[in-house]
Amino acid sequence: MATQDARPIEEVLVMEREEWPDGPPHELFKRMRSECPVHWTPTITEYPEEDGFWSVTTADDIHSVSRDFETYSSERGGITALTNAVMPLELIQAMFIGMDPPKHDRLKGLFQRGFTPKRIADHEDDIRAITIGVLDKLEGRGECDLVPDVAQPVVARVIGSFMGLPPEDDEIWARLMNEMMGAGDPDLNPEGPQAVMERDVPELFSRCQRLIAERREHPTEDLTSVLVHAEIDGQKLEEHEIVMGFFLLMAAGNDSTKATYCSAMRALLENPDERQKLLDDPGLIPSAVEESLRMFPAFAHFRRTATTDVELNGATIREGDKVLMWYVSSNRDETRYEDPDRFDVTRNPEHQAFGAGGRHFCLGTALARLELRILMEETLRRYPQMELAGQPLYAESPFINQLKTLPVRLS
């Protein structure tokens, strides 16, 4: 597609579905980093009402954009390439990921204390028990799909426990998050993106309203209660802010670890020498987690909006323009990584899977790393000879970077 592509790079429409037949178009991004590191795409064919966007593809430029919230706003236009096409901007702005300082800092700070590495480490035994319990259910089976059979139930129960949700509701919330986050994928959301607002958002609000009423009447120690009783400048959050704060935490907990774990397992199955290194020395698994985060960040991009005219690496960005930071590109930047497309469990790299610093650096880094380590440890311990049993399929999305199927033979 890319290096054999005779089209001028300026004519490429980065988000067209045909550019993403099997996950991110890494050859295209490689070409962009070399020929046009800040690239303009004038239109999104599937969403003709949406404006075009700038693609930022190098690690250094994404680092600059991430740390300059005054020039590149999260609040002004939302956090993905689509401003209003799937979910209205008003709802995106109700999440702290869709806010700018100072409100962002105050709301995020309410949760920061619960996500410190020390506090997260206290949950290791619980997360390991959840993981072992899910793997136990595979006993006697010759094959499974790691996405719905392992990753999904583990991450759903972990984030559900943090939010104070009962286990019997895990499948309901997982379905809702998958439909909303995978809005454009015909398997995850068969009714199409319009169904998010027509079906999913009303269901989200209805279910959350019951949770809000319960927590107001009977406060608990979970994160849902934190949202319900939070005060910013002496005022409690409005109901839609509580609901969207809940959605943010649930969606991040549902998608991030599931995405990277499944891609990491695929890489280990396709690179048996790398897998053998982990089997011989499980102490390398934390390094393998970092390499997996580098190569397979859970989200392909996040977006900012320019608040003023600005120059970035030779490009003139105008006030109001969309600016997309492509982590699936920056994490394979040749100026940062030797042989960046090679999966190397000993590399232990720095990366931008959790963002590139600044105010919006991921809140859940410690939790994601712990979940990934435990999932890899327990899966490899239980099934050291696991093999691929079919062609894995990517979710059709230029935002969520995840497999929707990963069929395997267990022994």
Side-chain angles (χ1 to χ4, degrees):
M1 172 176 56
T3 50
Q4 291 113 11
D5 196 339
R7 293 173 298 171
I9 194 66
E10 294 80 7
E11 295 180 7
V12 173
L13 303 179
V14 176
M15 281 183 57
E16 298 304 284
R17 202 173 282 258
E18 57 265 27
E19 302 287 353
W20 299 68
D22 187 27
H26 292 298
E27 287 299 318
L28 173 58
F29 282 125
K30 181 177 181 179
R31 189 178 169 204
M32 290 166 66
R33 290 191 299 271
S34 172
E35 299 179 27
C36 187
V38 182
H39 174 280
W40 175 250
T41 295
T43 188
I44 306 172
T45 302
E46 282 192 52
Y47 302 95
E49 72 280 9
E50 289 280 349
D51 293 331
F53 59 89
W54 293 98
S55 288
V56 185
T57 59
T58 69
D60 286 346
D61 287 341
I62 288 179
H63 182 271
S64 297
V65 172
S66 294
R67 291 171 178 267
D68 186 358
F69 66 85
E70 293 174 326
T71 303
Y72 302 101
S73 167
S74 297
E75 187 168 326
R76 179 161 170 173
I79 58 171
T80 74
L82 304 178
T83 304
N84 282 297
V86 175
M87 189 179 291
L89 179 59
E90 175 190 11
L91 293 183
I92 303 298
Q93 291 170 331
M95 301 183 284
F96 61 78
I97 198 173
M99 299 175 184
D100 291 329
K103 187 172 183 179
H104 163 272
D105 297 354
R106 293 170 186 154
L107 188 51
K108 185 178 180 181
L110 293 172
F111 297 96
Q112 211 120 33
R113 296 186 296 275
F115 283 90
T116 63
K118 183 180 183 306
R119 289 208 175 185
I120 293 301
D122 292 339
H123 294 273
E124 176 163 355
D125 289 347
D126 292 337
I127 294 172
R128 194 173 298 278
I130 290 168
T131 304
I132 291 172
V134 168
L135 291 172
D136 282 346
K137 293 178 182 177
L138 301 179
E139 206 63 46
R141 293 178 57 175
E143 297 186 356
C144 79
D145 188 322
L146 287 184
V147 181
D149 293 333
V150 177
Q152 184 65 78
V154 169
V155 300
R157 180 74 312 253
V158 171
I159 192 60
S161 66
F162 274 74
M163 302 303 295
L165 305 175
E168 58 268 24
D169 288 352
D170 286 352
E171 289 187 17
I172 295 171
W173 288 110
R175 170 190 58 77
L176 197 53
M177 295 303 117
N178 290 335
E179 288 173 352
M180 296 175 78
M181 298 295 284
D185 183 277
D187 295 318
L188 296 175
N189 185 22
E191 294 181 39
Q194 71 280 357
V196 170
M197 282 306 298
E198 295 172 1
R199 176 198 62 205
D200 295 330
V201 169
E203 182 178 353
L204 172 70
F205 270 78
S206 174
R207 292 185 179 279
C208 281
Q209 283 164 348
R210 292 195 291 272
L211 290 171
I212 291 167
E214 290 171 6
R215 295 310 189 277
R216 282 184 175 143
E217 186 73 21
H218 303 289
T220 63
E221 297 298 316
D222 57 51
L223 295 182
T224 302
S225 235
V226 173
L227 276 164
V228 169
H229 297 283
E231 290 191 6
I232 304 295
D233 296 330
Q235 293 196 334
K236 291 190 180 296
L237 300 179
E238 296 181 33
E239 185 170 272
H240 76 287
E241 292 177 315
I242 298 173
V243 172
M244 294 310 295
F246 178 93
F247 168 74
L248 172 62
L249 294 169
M250 287 291 291
N254 183 71
D255 279 85
S256 54
T257 302
K258 177 178 67 175
T260 301
Y261 162 74
C262 291
S263 290
M265 291 306 302
R266 178 187 185 179
L268 290 171
L269 299 183
E270 292 177 339
N271 296 273
D273 290 346
E274 297 302 303
R275 174 174 57 174
Q276 191 61 47
K277 293 176 185 176
L278 302 186
L279 294 173
D280 292 341
D281 180 7
L284 284 174
I285 288 178
S287 171
V289 166
E290 298 308 314
E291 177 71 339
S292 302
L293 288 163
R294 178 188 74 83
M295 290 198 73
F296 316 114
F299 300 100
H301 78 267
F302 274 110
R303 173 245 181 121
R304 303 288 186 265
T305 303
T307 61
T308 186
D309 293 356
V310 62
E311 294 286 323
L312 181 65
N313 203 348
T316 301
I317 298 171
R318 301 298 183 189
E319 179 185 357
D321 283 355
K322 301 175 183 177
V323 180
L324 270 59
M325 301 175 289
W326 289 104
Y327 307 118
V328 289
S329 174
S330 66
N331 276 347
R332 300 192 186 208
D333 188 333
E334 300 80 0
T335 67
R336 292 278 182 100
Y337 311 104
E338 183 179 348
D339 198 4
D341 294 321
R342 179 171 58 88
F343 183 69
D344 178 0
V345 299
T346 67
R347 193 192 301 260
N348 199 21
E350 294 184 3
H351 53 75
Q352 296 181 342
F354 297 122
R359 298 298 224 282
H360 286 278
F361 193 74
C362 177
L363 178 73
T365 55
L367 178 58
R369 285 180 165 121
L370 179 61
E371 283 186 87
L372 287 168
R373 175 170 64 79
I374 291 172
L375 273 161
M376 291 173 72
E377 287 172 351
E378 295 300 333
T379 306
L380 291 172
R381 180 180 295 125
R382 185 81 62 106
Y383 299 111
Q385 302 303 318
M386 183 186 288
E387 299 175 342
L388 284 174
Q391 179 61 40
L393 295 178
Y394 265 94
E396 295 182 33
S397 171
F399 178 55
I400 58 170
N401 178 32
Q402 62 180 256
L403 295 169
K404 58 184 176 183
T405 69
L406 182 56
V408 297
R409 277 183 293 277
L410 294 172
S411 60

